[in-house]
Amino acid sequence: GAVVSQHPSWVICKSGTSVKIECRSLDFQATTMFWYRQFPKQSLMLMATSNEGSKATYEQGVEKDKFLINHASLTLSTLTVTSAHPEDSSFYICSAKDIRLYGYTFGSGTRLTVV
Amino acid sequence: AQSVSQHNHHVILSEAASLELGCNYSYGGTVNLFWYVQYPGQHLQLLLKYFSGDPLVKGIKGFEAEFIKSKFSFNLRKPSVQWSDTAEYFCAVTFGGSGNTGKLIFGQGTTLQVKP
């Protein structure tokens, strides 16, 4: 079945530094990937849509300069949290759209803690 | 605006009880509907999905959902829950037809706690 690998699963960084999160589709090509943010006990909030070979589309209220998304290949999208602050601490989840199944496969998420 | 709403935020049931979780969306056009489950410490797993055809959809683990277009609803049901069904349940929707971006919008989620 479709598998999405997200790395790292958790990361702790200092305020002001940048963190990169990778999302890979392992056995299918994903022209479209999505990045979500999930706060404790809350739902998944869509941050942006990542399209291979083009700029990401950000949801309203999401700072594109803070959350840099790159989708350079059909199997890899990256989210870079730049100049991280404690309020950026959250659970980040990626999802890849599998056109074969018209479904969405989710990564296992990345727990980011900014200290 | 397009949105997804789950009415029950926290549900507590005893084993063998029946379950129904509500999900409504606001959009007058074509939708695709999904239910996902998130067990503690695990990633989201698809329970079932609806695109077209029979509005009663059967999924994994004994779950089913019914799409009622007139009510803009897609409620999740299970006749008899088990302790292992304790998890977070999310309804999700894509809005629009072939020209949409396919982005999946989630409801607020429902925490289900099943007591043994």
Side-chain angles (χ1 to χ4, degrees), chain B residues 95-116:
Chain B
F95 299 98
S98 58
N100 73 342
T101 60
K103 56 184 181 182
L104 196 57
I105 305 300
F106 284 81
Q108 303 92 322
T110 297
T111 301
L112 172 64
Q113 183 181 354
V114 180
K115 294 185 174 181

Side-chain angles (χ1 to χ4, degrees), chain A residues 101-112:
Chain A
L101 306 174
Y102 198 81
Y104 300 82
T105 302
F106 289 82
S108 54
T110 298
R111 173 76 58 195
L112 170 63

Side-chain angles (χ1 to χ4, degrees), chain A residues 34 36 38 43 59 101-102 104, chain B residues 49 51 94 102-104 107:
Chain A
F34 303 91
Y36 293 85
Q38 186 179 27
S43 187
E59 295 299 302
L101 306 174
Y102 198 81
Y104 300 82
Chain B
K49 60 186 177 184
F51 295 148
T94 63
K103 56 184 181 182
L104 196 57

Side-chain angles (χ1 to χ4, degrees), chain A:
Chain A
V3 177
V4 170
S5 174
Q6 188 172 341
H7 180 81
S9 55
W10 62 270
V11 58
I12 301 173
C13 70
K14 292 184 178 181
S15 288
T17 61
S18 296
V19 173
K20 180 185 283 188
I21 302 170
E22 293 188 347
C23 181
R24 293 181 184 273
S25 57
L26 296 186
D27 51 357
F28 66 102
Q29 294 181 334
T31 55
T32 305
M33 292 185 176
F34 303 91
W35 287 95
Y36 293 85
R37 185 173 178 175
Q38 186 179 27
F39 293 99
K41 305 290 185 182
Q42 295 188 32
S43 187
L44 283 75
M45 182 193 77
L46 180 65
M47 298 174 65
T49 301
S50 171
N51 298 298
E52 186 268 335
S54 64
K55 292 183 178 181
T57 304
Y58 290 82
E59 295 299 302
Q60 192 173 8
V62 177
E63 299 177 60
K64 57 183 67 177
D65 293 331
K66 166 168 267 307
F67 299 101
L68 299 179
I69 291 172
N70 183 277
H71 194 156
S73 77
L74 287 171
T75 58
L76 174 64
S77 175
T78 60
L79 168 68
T80 301
V81 183
T82 63
S83 187
H85 289 101
E87 56 265 32
D88 298 325
S89 298
S90 191
F91 195 57
Y92 294 87
I93 302 173
C94 73
S95 170
K97 184 175 175 181
D98 185 349
I99 61 174
R100 302 170 305 173
L101 306 174
Y102 198 81
Y104 300 82
T105 302
F106 289 82
S108 54
T110 298
R111 173 76 58 195
L112 170 63
T113 303
V114 184
V115 297

